[in-house]
Amino acid sequence: AKQSALQCNITGTTDFMKTSSAPDPRDISWVNVTVEKSNIRIKKMQCDAVLLTGTLFWSVVVTAITSIGNLDRLAQFLPEWLIPEPGTFWYGLIQGYLPVILLEFLMLFFPIVLRLVGNRFIRFKTKSNTDRFIFHWHFSYRVANLIIIILKNQIYEALNSVRNNPAAFLQTLAEGLSLSSQFFLNNMIVACGTETLWELAQMPQMIKYFVMHKFITTEAKSKRYLEKLEKPGAFEWGAEVPQFIFAFLVGSVYAINVPLVIGVCSAYFYTATKVYTHQALFVYAQPYEGGGKLMYYLNRTTFTIIYISITIFSINLGLRGAAIQAPSFFVIMNVLAFLVDRKISKQFVRPSTTLALTNSRLIDEENKRKDERLQRYKEYKAAKAEKKAAAARARKQEKAGKLTAGSGSVVDQSAMLNIPPKPAKSVGHKSMQMPVLRENTPEQLRERRAAKIAAESKGNNMMAYAGAGGEGGADSDEESTGGVDFYLYRQPQLNKSLWETKPRPYR
């Protein structure tokens, strides 16, 4: 049996086992439970490689979308009547907001594609791992949008200048930040107004509801089908959280060059807080718990953005001739950010990874204390029962001794009762007189009378208790119901709120 157990090693290790917290049963994707871990790892590496390579070609898509705002270039391909006059409202709207809306519309479908890849191709076993995959690549492509829009058509020149002339690359980056500030300002305005209000309105669900109730008959559908239509949606962490982090990234990058952008970002966060708090309380219902796995990525991403903003501010100081202030600010602020990052990791991140083991230890200790208290209580009850039994045995022995001592007098009394009475010596009449036994002392008579009175009072108490609904009475049917008369007819109360003049549907 020992050799068989050694040969059936499931973990792959001989002297130890690696344990991890079990996922929430609602978090498990039961369709992908039987997929091997090695297959999931290989397919994830393949998807990571494809998506990483896709960022190089993503610049073509983003550049094509942002070029729509250049109406002078579009005039070469479109008829003149489609191009509005410069200086008009439609000219400014198309040039400023149309590229932003198209890019956000394109990014709207990107999390959907990533979710299909995670569920159908990679086949993650838990939904929280799918959310982590979506969050990682969704935010990565938003960062790629930021870099591509800043550099625009100078990507290849900027990459060459990094190797040949780093100072020229920094100058190009600073110029790109200033030129692309209008695009990201419009992006945050659209996110603050249109996206948050669209989320609050829940238009897709409303349209679906009206269309479904237009073509189906409610009375003809089952209750399960109707409950399925009313099922609340879930908060998509991988799709929603990267938008917040991207707004934080834009505000951190442009906080120095264009302070107006950080004001719009603040308004976006204020509006998003109100909207998504309402959605989380009244609209969405979280179907599973991922154990906070996404928060590790969120913490690391936040500190990465802080390091990037410090670096960009130091570069701006260096380009403006602050040769001493730039490196001083870079070193001091990075050291402070690193100390805060390490403190958070030490106090929150690392203990949270072993939180399940800590909780298990606390639960085991609590169970041990409960078992000890239960054992002491059992011992106390056993000692108390033994004490009562000993007292009962002592009383029984004392009573038996009294009966043995008084048995002779009882026999003498019964024998003497058969003796005919002697006539009393008196003058004028004769009287009958019973013999008085010596054993029937006044103390014994008082004890017998007290015992008889106690027995009668105990019987009366038992009858009163049974009549009040207790156990052990003679009339069990009436006593078990507390004296309730089942044969008493009661007039039913009329509910006037249910009076109707026409039939109502069955539901």
Side-chain angles (χ1 to χ4, degrees):
K2 178 181 178 181
Q3 294 299 326
S4 300
L6 291 175
Q7 294 175 3
C8 295
N9 188 8
I10 301 176
T11 60
T13 57
T14 57
D15 299 329
F16 63 93
M17 291 187 297
K18 294 182 179 179
T19 60
S20 60
S21 302
D24 187 358
R26 300 171 299 173
D27 186 25
I28 298 175
S29 181
W30 296 102
V31 181
N32 303 330
V33 168
T34 57
V35 181
E36 295 184 1
K37 188 176 180 180
S38 59
N39 293 339
I40 296 176
R41 184 175 62 254
I42 293 173
K43 290 183 178 180
K44 185 178 181 300
M45 292 176 60
Q46 294 174 354
C47 290
D48 291 342
V50 172
L51 292 171
L52 183 61
T53 307
T55 55
L56 301 177
F57 301 96
W58 186 250
S59 60
V60 179
V61 180
V62 176
T63 303
I65 292 176
T66 54
S67 63
I68 295 177
N70 191 350
L71 297 182
D72 296 334
R73 184 178 300 177
L74 291 178
Q76 302 176 1
F77 306 98
L78 297 177
E80 295 182 357
W81 60 274
L82 288 178
I83 305 299
E85 295 293 332
T88 61
F89 171 77
W90 294 106
Y91 186 89
L93 181 65
I94 294 175
Q95 188 173 8
Y97 291 96
L98 184 60
V100 175
I101 294 174
L102 291 178
L103 183 59
E104 289 298 323
F105 183 76
L106 178 63
M107 296 302 296
L108 182 65
F109 294 95
F110 194 68
I112 300 175
V113 176
L114 291 176
R115 186 170 296 278
L116 291 175
V117 172
N119 291 332
R120 302 295 178 84
F121 180 73
I122 303 177
R123 302 182 66 182
F124 289 107
K125 293 187 178 183
T126 58
K127 300 174 185 177
S128 57
N129 288 335
T130 305
D131 288 338
R132 292 171 60 187
F133 177 76
I134 297 172
F135 174 82
H136 176 71
W137 286 109
H138 186 194
F139 180 71
S140 298
Y141 270 73
R142 283 190 174 271
V143 174
N145 293 341
L146 177 67
I147 297 174
I148 292 170
I149 292 171
I150 290 175
L151 298 179
K152 272 193 176 179
N153 298 328
Q154 302 175 357
I155 296 178
Y156 298 105
E157 292 80 359
L159 293 177
N160 292 329
S161 62
V162 170
R163 181 181 58 184
N164 300 327
N165 190 0
F169 170 74
L170 296 178
Q171 187 67 29
T172 303
L173 181 62
E175 294 176 358
L177 287 173
S178 301
L179 294 175
S180 60
S181 60
Q182 184 64 40
F183 180 87
F184 290 106
L185 178 64
N186 296 336
N187 193 352
M188 289 296 101
I189 293 174
V190 171
C192 179
T194 307
E195 292 183 4
T196 54
L197 294 181
W198 177 264
E199 173 65 29
L200 182 63
Q202 292 289 304
M203 292 303 297
Q205 286 74 14
M206 295 293 292
I207 294 172
K208 178 183 176 181
Y209 178 82
F210 286 118
V211 170
M212 293 297 295
H213 283 73
K214 183 69 175 178
F215 292 99
I216 67 174
T217 304
T218 307
E219 287 76 9
K221 296 297 181 180
S222 63
K223 185 177 180 181
R224 180 179 298 178
Y225 181 82
L226 296 178
E227 290 178 353
K228 186 177 180 181
L229 292 179
E230 297 176 357
K231 184 179 180 181
F235 187 81
E236 302 291 343
W237 293 93
E240 303 294 342
V241 176
Q243 299 179 9
F244 309 146
I245 304 302
F246 180 72
F248 178 61
L249 175 61
V250 171
S252 301
V253 170
Y254 287 97
I256 306 303
N257 295 334
V258 188
L260 182 61
V261 176
I262 194 172
V264 179
C265 291
S266 301
Y268 166 73
F269 279 114
Y270 178 80
T271 308
T273 301
K274 299 295 183 181
V275 170
Y276 283 96
T277 301
H278 175 273
Q279 301 299 89
L281 292 176
F282 302 106
V283 178
Y284 293 133
Q286 192 64 19
Y288 59 89
E289 297 292 339
K293 297 178 182 178
L294 194 66
M295 298 304 162
Y296 299 115
Y297 278 114
L298 186 59
N299 175 70
R300 182 49 44 208
T301 304
T302 303
F303 275 99
T304 302
I305 293 174
I306 292 174
Y307 293 137
I308 291 174
S309 63
I310 293 173
T311 304
I312 292 176
F313 183 69
S314 301
I315 292 173
N316 287 329
L317 289 177
L319 293 176
R320 285 174 170 79
I324 299 176
Q325 292 84 350
S328 301
F329 178 82
F330 179 79
V331 173
I332 294 174
M333 295 306 298
N334 275 312
V335 169
L336 293 177
F338 175 75
L339 292 176
V340 175
D341 187 7
R342 189 180 67 174
K343 185 176 182 180
I344 292 176
S345 299
K346 184 178 180 181
Q347 292 187 359
F348 298 100
V349 177
R350 294 177 184 174
S352 64
T353 57
T354 59
L355 185 61
L357 298 177
T358 304
N359 289 336
S360 299
R361 179 177 57 81
L362 295 176
I363 292 172
D364 292 341
E365 292 178 354
E366 182 65 22
N367 292 336
K368 184 179 179 180
R369 287 192 294 268
K370 289 181 179 180
D371 293 339
E372 291 177 353
R373 288 196 298 267
L374 181 60
Q375 185 64 27
R376 289 196 300 266
Y377 179 73
K378 289 181 178 179
E379 293 176 355
Y380 166 74
K381 294 292 289 184
K384 188 175 180 181
E386 181 65 25
K387 185 177 180 180
K388 289 183 178 180
R393 287 194 299 269
R395 289 195 298 270
K396 186 175 180 182
Q397 293 176 1
E398 182 180 359
K399 185 176 180 181
K402 288 183 179 180
L403 291 175
T404 304
S407 60
S409 62
V410 173
V411 174
D412 295 340
Q413 182 180 2
S414 61
M416 295 183 66
L417 288 175
N418 297 326
I419 301 174
K422 297 180 179 180
K425 295 181 180 180
S426 61
V427 180
H429 67 275
K430 297 181 179 179
S431 63
M432 300 294 291
Q433 184 177 4
M434 293 295 294
V436 178
L437 302 180
R438 293 182 180 179
E439 289 79 11
N440 294 335
T441 60
E443 289 78 10
Q444 291 179 353
L445 293 175
R446 282 195 294 271
E447 289 178 0
R448 292 176 185 175
R449 181 175 178 80
K452 183 178 180 180
I453 294 174
E456 291 177 356
S457 63
K458 184 177 181 181
N460 294 332
N461 292 335
M462 291 296 295
M463 292 178 64
Y465 174 73
E471 298 179 356
D475 299 332
S476 60
D477 294 339
E478 183 177 356
E479 293 161 3
S480 60
T481 58
V484 178
D485 188 1
F486 285 101
Y487 302 100
L488 178 62
Y489 176 76
R490 295 183 180 180
Q491 178 69 26
Q493 296 179 357
L494 297 179
N495 190 354
K496 297 181 180 180
S497 62
L498 297 179
W499 289 359
E500 296 177 351
T501 58
K502 61 180 180 179
R504 59 177 178 174
Y506 70 96
R507 184 180 291 108

